[in-house]
Amino acid sequence: MVQEQSQVISVSEVARNTYVLRFHSPRIARSVLAGQFVNIAVADDCDPLLRRPFSIYRAHGDTCEIIFNVVGKGTLALQKKSSRDVVNVLGPLGTPYSLESEGFMTAVLVGGGLGVAPLPLSTLILRNKGKELVTILGARSSEYLVEQHLENVHVSTDDGTKGMKGTAVDLLASLLPTQRWKSPKIFACGPTGMLRALGKFAVDRNIPCEVSLEGPMACGFGICQGCPVELVDGRSRYALMCKDGPVFDIRRISL
Amino acid sequence: MTKTSFSIGGVQFPNRVLVASGTFGYGDECSSLVDVNKLGAIITKSLSMNPREGNPPTRIVETPSGMLNSIGLANIGVERFITEKLPFLETIQCPVIVNIAASTVDEYCAVLDVLEEHSRFDGYEINVSCPNVKEGGLSFGTDRVMTAEITRRLRPRTKRPLIMKLTPNVAFISEFARAVEAEGADAISAVNTLIGMAVDVQKRKPVLSTVTGGLSGPAIKPVALAKVYEASRAVKIPVIGIGGIRTATDAIEFLMVGATAVQVGTMNFVDPSAGVTIAEGIQAFCEEHGIPDTGDLVGSLDARVDSSVLTSWL
Ligand SMILES: Cc1cc2nc3c(=O)[nH]c(=O)nc-3n(C[C@H](O)[C@H](O)[C@H](O)COP(=O)(O)OP(=O)(O)OC[C@H]3O[C@@H](n4cnc5c(N)ncnc54)[C@H](O)[C@@H]3O)c2cc1C
Ligand SMILES: Cc1cc2nc3c(=O)[nH]c(=O)nc-3n(C[C@H](O)[C@H](O)[C@H](O)COP(=O)(O)O)c2cc1C
Ligand code: FES
């Protein structure tokens, strides 16, 4: 974990209300693992006061990228950054996906909405490991889809403007019987409702599944105790989303 | 060179900027981001006798220039603190003040007794903003008799500095300050968080699982300053000012109204090195103004009207 004053390189719109912020951050770019995040100070004064957490979307050389929707003050401030600005970035933070484990042969990457964020970095690592890759994306409609830097992509949209009409979980359910995935494991990120449905789907079929959660955070590295995630039957009642997560085995947590 | 050190109850602190309990973990978590030896002291997360799981989510929410929290004193308990955190604390030089929280007076005593067996700790800060289980969960800290009682019971158990951390959620903090001074407290920390609330109008629900929580951050600074002003005028023992400190200027305001030292809380979440930056900023201010000792700032406010805090604005 480092704190870097990072030069903004660019902010570009890649889909409707969806932006990629690219910044210079050598130490984070070289050490980040798929599923980890950064906590970014978006303003110099106290408006907004707290940092904002974002998954690392891509990392290459000395640069990192995050992808975000403008949903409030913090993300609006980020959207307005330009190559004249510097942002203070804390990271890489959190526990990554266990892509290195030997326990699976096919990685099924599932992204709902901007849950696509950690998938390109995951794709890169999985490809290098020689794993089979399937990517399933869900979005509200085609204009929100972000399909770059992924492999073997299947899409669904809520309004049917592209791919299957329905959710990413519906799409996964329709694909599963038709595909011959050898020992699959799901790696997912998305809204809590989707992860809950996906978790049930995976557990019912005995498919291992790791999900990346989001929720309110203050520090992002374990000192405020502000981000509890309920555990099902661990020795303790809660884990910390920022430190023990944001990635969790779906069987460990109660969503 | 400006003198930055000062002492409380015989313990010397290298500078007047400490990090507040609950905002710096147990000291080890931030050590890769900041040189903790440049802090006046580390005050650890409140410790209870047994580990506490804390409150269900949602525990935090950002508010204008601040945040609300209802962590529920989640902590690892004093025994694990000794086995897991003491080894790191032995490797650093800066003073370590251990903050204690409890649900009964006996528990406060028991936790302090465990800590007394270890020479590393430089003092205790007592968090009285905890529910008193014997009195149906009412906070100790809003009950002057209980606050005094905790001080009276702890005082004979240690020679180390005993710092009572007061809540701002009372009409007259000066009465509480006098009560703990009379029972032998070495210093007062003021303030803990202010009671606050946030509502999710879409769900018609309180945002925090506990409905209300504690407000902190720059939003509370004016309230905290007035409370520190009031408390420091009521007692002779040092008052450590806390509440919304973000910059060196904020900290200097607290020193001027009467704080002997300050603590930085919420800002550690934004910038874990905020405490060090503020300590350096106070020193720079003194050098710029030819002030030989940061202590010369303490209580140096030129308040032309010597009026009571309670009536001056009415
Ligand atoms: C580990 C982690 C990784 C994340 N990765 C991404 C990412 O890659 N891309 C992305 O666009 N967003 C991501 N988020 C969510 C992102 O942090 C929030 O959207 C952002 O903080 C909103 O800030 P704001 O000031 O614009 O909105 P605010 O004004 O603070 O809030 C606007 C809305 O967003 C919701 N919100 C606020 N904070 C969060 C949060 N931390 N998580 C979820 N919802 C929140 C609020 O409830 C509100 O409805 C991630 C969150 C976490 C915890
Ligand atoms: C998330 C959080 C956790 C806290 N935990 C504790 C605690 O365990 N014990 C305690 O005495 N004070 C605790 N506090 C209060 C702070 O130490 C401090 O008194 C308060 O936040 C006001 O200072 P600030 O505005 O600089 O944050 C906590 C504050 C926050 C924001
Ligand atoms: S956000 Fe502070 S502990 Fe997780």
Side-chain angles (χ1 to χ4, degrees), chain A residues 49 51-52 225 237-238, chain B residues 53 56 59 62 71 270-271:
Chain A
L49 177 68
R51 287 171 182 266
R52 296 294 190 258
Q225 303 287 321
R237 180 134 176 238
Y238 301 111
Chain B
E53 301 275 13
R59 288 185 186 172
E62 185 167 344
I71 306 298
V270 183
D271 179 8

Side-chain angles (χ1 to χ4, degrees), chain B residues 228-252:
Chain B
V228 169
Y229 176 65
E230 181 192 340
S232 64
R233 283 157 50 100
V235 294
K236 292 199 177 63
I237 55 176
V239 175
I240 304 170
I242 322 167
I245 296 174
R246 188 172 74 92
T247 63
T249 310
D250 295 335
I252 292 166

Side-chain angles (χ1 to χ4, degrees), chain B residues 179-219:
Chain B
V180 302
E181 179 182 49
E183 297 300 343
D186 294 289
I188 287 160
S189 288
V191 294
N192 212 314
T193 54
L194 276 73
I195 294 173
M197 184 169 173
V199 174
D200 181 334
V201 296
Q202 302 298 334
K203 298 183 184 154
R204 285 200 195 200
K205 282 186 175 157
V207 177
L208 298 177
S209 63
T210 51
V211 183
T212 58
L215 183 65
S216 66

